[in-house]
């Protein structure tokens, strides 16, 4: 359940802190018109990702789960001139919408969209010994653990990995949950528990998208 207060507060904070953003607004509107699920990050969350990219000085970004391209465009825009985003989308029709949005955003030269299962792209990147500065994990939550595992292989000291939707309305703490997404996120935290050399934290979030959270991993 999404609280109306949280929605109102999000609107208030957006009005206070964010400028009009025709670029991201166009992505959001086209995604909605195309019937994509309303799972993109919020404007405030997009600005949070943008800020993380800027403060970390990231140039090479990997996104796992593109949806309509909202976060990909927000992240591409935060990068220096020689920076770029590699993003993945498993659904062909969603990817077509995303590609059109990316081209309309004029950040197309900074964003490469690969259509296919994220794990295939990850394994191929691992094989190629690619290294990323910033990785946003936001695909199916079932594979959160596996995506984090591969993301760490694509990291260097200083790489920041952000995993979206790790609280799931609080279902995270339901150890008997039969929901595959909850099990996937719990598997990610079980995996994280044993990690060494990675600074980790998580933030619970509440807002227009309800009660959720992001986990952050910084490779040391
Ligand atoms: C869901 C997925 C997301 O990436 C998100 O931000 C919110 C919800 C979902 O699949 O329910
Ligand atoms: Mg998400």
């Amino acid at each position: 359940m999404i609280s109306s207060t949280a929605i109102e507060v999000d609107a208030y904070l957006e009005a206070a802190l964010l400028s009009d953003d025709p670029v991201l607004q166009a992505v959001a509107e086209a995604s909605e018109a195309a019937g994509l699920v309303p799972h993109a990050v919020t404007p405030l969350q997009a600005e949070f990702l943008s800020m993380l990219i800027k403060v970390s000085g990231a140039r090479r970004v990997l996104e796992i789960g593109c949806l309509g391209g909202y976060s990909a465009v927000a992240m591409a825009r935060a990068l220096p001139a020689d920076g770029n985003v590699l993003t993945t989308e498993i659904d062909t029709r969603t990817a077509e919408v995303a590609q059109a949005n990316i081209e309309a955003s004029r950040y197309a030269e900074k964003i490469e969209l690969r259509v296919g299962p994220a794990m295939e792209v990850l394994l191929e990147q691992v094989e190629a010994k690619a290294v990323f500065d910033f990785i946003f994990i936001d695909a199916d939550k079932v594979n959160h653990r596996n995506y984090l595992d591969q993301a760490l292989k694509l990291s260097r000291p200083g790489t920041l990995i952000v995993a979206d939707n790790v609280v799931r309305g609080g279902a995270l703490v339901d150890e008997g949950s039969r929901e595959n997404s909850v099990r996937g996120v719990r598997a990610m935290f079980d995996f994280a528990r044993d990690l060494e050399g990675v600074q980790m934290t998580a933030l619970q979030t509440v807002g227009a998208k309800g009660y959720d959270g992001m986990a952050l991993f910084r490779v040391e």
Side-chain angles (χ1 to χ4, degrees), residues 172-194:
L172 173 65
V173 295
D174 178 4
E175 50 183 86
S177 177
R178 289 168 182 227
E179 214 185 293
N180 287 333
S181 59
V182 174
R183 292 159 76 115
V185 173
R186 287 181 60 89
M188 186 198 75
F189 283 114
D190 285 340
F191 173 70
R193 224 180 281 282
D194 299 325

Side-chain angles (χ1 to χ4, degrees), residues 5-203:
T5 308
I7 293 172
E8 246 180 84
V9 171
D10 246 16
Y12 176 95
L13 294 173
E14 271 179 42
L17 303 177
L18 304 182
S19 328
D20 273 350
D21 194 337
V23 173
L24 287 187
Q25 214 165 321
V27 175
E29 280 165 16
S31 299
E32 189 182 351
L36 301 193
V37 288
H39 290 164
V41 296
T42 65
L44 289 160
Q45 290 172 343
E47 199 65 19
F48 177 64
L49 295 176
S50 164
M51 207 181 270
L52 289 178
I53 285 172
K54 288 185 182 185
V55 297
S56 66
R59 285 158 69 170
R60 189 96 179 93
V61 172
L62 173 64
E63 177 179 64
I64 301 166
C66 182
L67 195 58
Y70 190 91
S71 43
V73 169
M75 294 191 292
R77 201 165 58 175
L79 290 170
D82 62 347
N84 53 59
V85 177
L86 174 62
T87 183
T88 75
E89 176 51 52
I90 192 168
D91 182 71
T92 313
R93 203 188 75 82
T94 301
E96 279 169 16
V97 174
Q99 190 61 48
N101 287 343
I102 288 165
E103 273 156 35
S105 79
R106 287 173 294 155
Y107 288 90
E109 82 285 358
K110 288 186 124 141
I111 303 173
E112 183 189 347
L113 169 57
R114 294 280 184 84
V115 186
M119 193 50 82
E120 271 178 25
V121 178
L122 282 164
L123 294 175
E124 172 201 302
Q125 294 298 306
V126 170
E127 183 76 20
K129 298 192 170 10
V131 175
F132 294 89
D133 308 311
F134 186 90
I135 302 174
F136 183 46
I137 303 176
D138 193 23
D140 62 289
K141 315 314 164 198
V142 177
N143 281 305
H144 248 34
R145 178 211 178 279
N146 301 330
Y147 296 150
L148 176 60
D149 189 9
Q150 299 307 318
L152 288 165
K153 295 179 191 164
L154 295 168
S155 297
R156 46 130 180 114
T159 292
L160 189 57
I161 301 169
V162 177
D164 198 22
N165 311 115
V166 299
V167 174
R168 314 210 56 87
L172 173 65
V173 295
D174 178 4
E175 50 183 86
S177 177
R178 289 168 182 227
E179 214 185 293
N180 287 333
S181 59
V182 174
R183 292 159 76 115
V185 173
R186 287 181 60 89
M188 186 198 75
F189 283 114
D190 285 340
F191 173 70
R193 224 180 281 282
D194 299 325
L195 285 175
E196 278 171 22
V198 184
Q199 184 182 12
M200 308 187 270
T201 190
L203 294 172

